[in-house]
């Protein structure tokens, strides 16, 4: 078995959609990035790549490549899963923490969890999504950014 860790942070700004875990969330601000800036899918993709020893999301999908401008990050996740499967690995379980002062993510955790299960072809009960605020301090607490941490376990397919 292999364990992998992922982390990502993106800045919040007006004029962008807020997409977390592949779910578009109604909010007056969204995350800035070259792609759709989905911190959750980026952290999960990095956790998967890390567990398989396949580098990181910046190696695989560089933010200097125009092909990934406003890209749907679900593509990165699906492609990464395909590479893992080809290398003989399958995800066993995934645990995610989203750090956001706003919006309140408690009511959305179940929707994000179900979408992660769908994207990874896994049962919902092996996916877990937690949400925390920044306690009104630091870049998270001042609602300047949203961050995500993910940990994944892989086993031989
Ligand atoms: Mg990112």
């Amino acid at each position: 078995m292999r364990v992998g860790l992922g982390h990502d942070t993106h800045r919040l700004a007006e004029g962008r959609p807020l997409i977390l875990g592949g779910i578009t969330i109604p909010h007056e601000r969204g995350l800035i990035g070259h792609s759709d800036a989905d911190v959750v899918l980026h952290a999960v993709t990095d956790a998967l790549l890390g567990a398989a020893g396949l580098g990181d999301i910046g190696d695989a999908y560089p933010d200097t490549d125009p092909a990934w401008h406003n890209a749907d990050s679900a593509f990165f996740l699906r492609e990464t899963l395909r590479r893992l499967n080809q290398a003989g690995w399958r995800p066993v379980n995934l645990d995610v923490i989203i750090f956001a002062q706003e919006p309140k993510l408690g009511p959305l955790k179940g929707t994000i969890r179900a979408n992660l299960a769908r994207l990874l072809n896994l049962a919902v009960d092996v996916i877990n999504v937690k949400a925390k605020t920044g306690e009104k301090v630091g870049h998270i607490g001042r609602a300047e950014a949203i961050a995500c941490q993910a940990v994944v376990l892989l086993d031989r397919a």
Side-chain angles (χ1 to χ4, degrees), residues 26 40 42 90 146:
V40 177
H42 292 183
R90 64 175 177 87
I146 291 178

Side-chain angles (χ1 to χ4, degrees), residues 12-91:
L12 278 161
E14 287 176 11
R16 290 277 296 185
L18 178 60
I19 303 170
L20 295 174
I23 303 294
T24 301
I25 294 167
H27 193 53
E28 63 271 20
R29 297 188 298 156
L31 296 173
I32 305 174
H34 184 65
S35 67
D36 66 6
D38 187 331
V39 282
V40 177
L41 296 193
H42 292 183
V44 171
T45 298
D46 253 352
L48 289 166
L49 289 168
L54 291 171
D56 67 31
I57 193 169
D59 297 334
Y61 311 103
D63 64 6
T64 50
D65 187 338
W68 312 126
H69 181 61
N70 285 334
D72 178 354
S73 296
F75 172 83
F76 305 149
L77 185 58
R78 282 200 215 93
E79 270 294 295
T80 298
L81 192 60
R82 189 184 58 74
R83 290 177 65 197
L84 254 63
N85 291 338
Q86 276 182 349
W89 295 108
R90 64 175 177 87

Side-chain angles (χ1 to χ4, degrees), residues 105-123:
L105 295 176
L108 296 161
K109 287 187 295 185
T111 306
I112 293 170
R113 182 188 193 192
N115 201 47
L116 288 172
R118 183 184 67 83
L119 290 170
L120 291 164
N121 302 317
L122 290 173

